[in-house]
Amino acid sequence: MISVTAADLGIDMEDPSGHGLYKWLLASFLIGKRIRSSVAVEAYRNLVDRNGLDTPDKLARRSHRDLVRYLGQAGYARYDESTARRLHCLATRVSGELDSHLIALSNGGMDVSTFRRWLLGFEGVGPKTVEIFMREAAAVLERQSTKGSLR
């Protein structure tokens, strides 16, 4: 597996809106699947760069059919239906919960290990996805949890 970084995808992990963390979570979700890294990267670029799904709200508003098509264009053939469903669930839940979790980190109401457990609660997110995500997000999350302020 090729090691892909947030920088490789043009993701600003320090984006104060939290969208950098969302984009890296989305990329980690795709990269963490049993699929070639090049296909996962192409799927990320198709979703975010070409179709503008750069926030969880935008992804959550897309139809299942659109997500299946975007994944198929990237080379997902075998798991496009289940991945599309899980992506929609991920985006919907992240849309409603990510900001509050980042705020809880910044004000000391949550620690990084609790945040990690929260991620594992998403359907389709397993230890590999969390490992990939935390590889780059851990430092950002730690800084937010010790800063005392998110924005």
Side-chain angles (χ1 to χ4, degrees):
M1 176 161 89
I2 300 167
S3 182
V4 178
T5 67
D8 293 338
L9 298 173
I11 298 170
D12 176 6
M13 294 295 289
E14 301 290 340
D15 179 353
S17 70
H19 293 162
L21 287 170
Y22 155 72
K23 289 179 194 176
W24 182 238
L25 178 58
L26 175 61
S28 299
F29 179 88
L30 294 165
I31 295 165
K33 301 297 171 226
R34 292 180 184 251
I35 193 159
R36 287 187 324 273
S37 294
S38 59
V39 172
V41 167
E42 183 62 20
Y44 173 84
R45 294 202 184 284
N46 206 30
L47 292 165
V48 174
D49 299 340
R50 294 183 195 105
N51 289 289
L53 305 181
D54 58 352
T55 70
D57 289 336
K58 289 177 184 176
L59 195 148
R61 287 193 304 261
R62 287 300 168 120
S63 71
H64 178 78
R65 180 179 300 166
D66 283 344
L67 295 178
V68 168
R69 184 167 34 97
Y70 299 154
L71 291 168
Q73 291 166 345
Y76 266 82
R78 218 165 133 190
Y79 304 109
D80 55 348
E81 290 283 338
S82 62
T83 301
R85 184 180 53 74
R86 289 177 175 157
L87 278 174
H88 188 266
C89 291
L90 177 82
T92 301
R93 191 163 161 209
V94 166
S95 177
E97 298 177 17
L98 181 61
D99 283 347
S100 64
H101 281 68
L102 292 175
I103 290 167
L105 275 169
S106 72
N107 68 21
M110 176 186 289
D111 60 18
V112 174
S113 63
T114 303
F115 188 87
R116 209 183 286 247
R117 283 191 304 278
W118 172 69
L119 291 175
L120 286 169
F122 288 93
E123 182 183 357
V125 173
K128 188 64 176 175
T129 297
V130 172
E131 175 189 323
I132 293 166
F133 177 76
M134 293 304 287
R135 182 179 70 211
E136 293 194 42
V140 174
L141 296 171
E142 283 292 340
R143 276 194 298 282
Q144 289 180 352
S145 70
T146 59
K147 243 193 238 184
S149 132
L150 177 61
R151 308 213 190 265

